[in-house]
Amino acid sequence: MNRRTFAATAAAAVVPALLSATPAVADSRRHNLPGERADARLQREMLDNLTAELDDAATARLSVPRIFDIGFNWDPPTTPLADIDFIVAYSFGDRAPADGGDPTKVLYEPGPVNEALAATVAQVRARRNVPVYAQWEIASFLTSTYNMSDVTAINPVIVADGTITYLSTFGVAQQVAADRKQLPGGIGTAGVIGFRDHVKRCVETTRLAGMPAAYAPAGFDMPDTYDPQSGQTWTRRRDLYLVHDMSAQWQMLEPQLLAAAYPNG
């Protein structure tokens, strides 16, 4: 993902609901009371420690909810399946081209993780017949394996000389938003499908791209098995991917906070 481009673009596309210090906590916290108490206790301990470390209680109070959300909350906000108007499915962990060749001009293979994501889309679609927008890796399985109709594939950009530019998560979301904005009934509510450790950020990115009503569909488990043969090194192991995802979440949050603090620049 092109983080620099994303951060610059996201600053101009901030959704007001995401401008709080804890953009995901409010609607994605666990609803069981013991869990909520444990979360509150942890945040109190974090506040005490960070206040002592920074010698700055005010900054610690602002920082702890952000650290907690990004480091300790991996659950996406969800909505009942009946509320979903369309599905957006984001890929995860392609494999290098099977027959070799220049990877800048030969498409990567979708790989087993995207096959599992396609299976999840199929499960959701079996219970809610709505349009699907899917990155090409997932869309390839939806059409070939499931013979699914009403699927819009979001493809990489291929220029005249054959060079392939793969879209970022934000780039994919932008394309879907542009398509949905043309509809008479408006954008509607997005049901977001993504890898288990990626899906929360997928929801946040979907919202930032101009689709504020975006949620994971309630009651569905997302694929969570990493592919050690992924062509994207950061998606081969969970411990490495979590660092990558937390870094991306911080880079998403920064322009939001700056825009809220200094709306006139």
Side-chain angles (χ1 to χ4, degrees), residues 169-213:
T169 303
F170 188 66
V172 172
Q174 282 184 307
Q175 286 205 15
V176 176
D179 186 89
R180 296 294 302 181
K181 286 175 181 176
Q182 307 303 315
L183 299 179
I187 294 172
T189 298
V192 177
I193 305 296
F195 190 73
R196 168 66 183 88
D197 295 328
H198 183 214
V199 67
K200 173 193 163 189
R201 182 160 61 89
C202 289
V203 169
E204 293 175 352
T205 302
T206 303
R207 293 177 176 186
L208 280 171
M211 295 174 280

Side-chain angles (χ1 to χ4, degrees), residues 10-232:
V14 172
V15 177
L18 293 177
L19 285 177
S20 65
T22 56
V25 170
D27 58 353
S28 66
R29 293 308 320 132
R30 295 184 293 275
H31 294 296
N32 100 47
L33 190 56
E36 291 175 355
R37 287 174 176 164
D39 290 347
R41 182 169 62 249
L42 174 58
Q43 290 190 69
R44 286 196 299 271
E45 293 171 355
M46 291 168 64
L47 179 59
D48 290 344
N49 280 275
L50 192 59
T51 297
E53 184 68 25
L54 298 177
D55 192 22
D56 183 344
T59 299
R61 278 195 297 273
L62 290 172
S63 300
V64 163
R66 300 166 186 165
I67 295 169
F68 181 84
D69 179 60
I70 289 174
F72 293 86
N73 173 27
W74 293 89
D75 296 325
T78 62
T79 197
L81 191 59
D83 293 343
I84 291 172
D85 298 309
F86 63 103
I87 295 167
V88 185
Y90 295 94
S91 67
F92 190 90
D94 301 349
R95 283 189 175 183
D99 298 324
D102 182 355
T104 67
K105 295 190 176 182
V106 180
L107 280 176
Y108 271 54
E109 299 290 322
V113 178
N114 290 305
E115 186 173 11
L117 286 164
T120 303
V121 172
Q123 291 171 13
V124 175
R125 178 64 180 265
R127 293 176 51 189
R128 180 75 173 160
N129 189 15
V130 293
V132 175
Y133 300 82
Q135 279 190 262
W136 69 273
E137 300 95 326
I138 298 171
S140 66
F141 290 111
L142 295 177
T143 54
S144 65
T145 303
Y146 298 97
N147 296 315
M148 191 177 291
S149 61
D150 206 1
V151 174
T152 300
I154 308 300
N155 295 303
V157 177
I158 303 177
V159 297
D161 69 353
T163 301
I164 301 169
T165 300
Y166 291 95
L167 295 175
S168 66
T169 303
F170 188 66
V172 172
Q174 282 184 307
Q175 286 205 15
V176 176
D179 186 89
R180 296 294 302 181
K181 286 175 181 176
Q182 307 303 315
L183 299 179
I187 294 172
T189 298
V192 177
I193 305 296
F195 190 73
R196 168 66 183 88
D197 295 328
H198 183 214
V199 67
K200 173 193 163 189
R201 182 160 61 89
C202 289
V203 169
E204 293 175 352
T205 302
T206 303
R207 293 177 176 186
L208 280 171
M211 295 174 280
Y215 306 86
F220 292 89
D221 294 328
M222 300 294 161
D224 60 2
T225 300
Y226 283 80
D227 177 16
Q229 298 180 54
S230 172
Q232 298 171 314

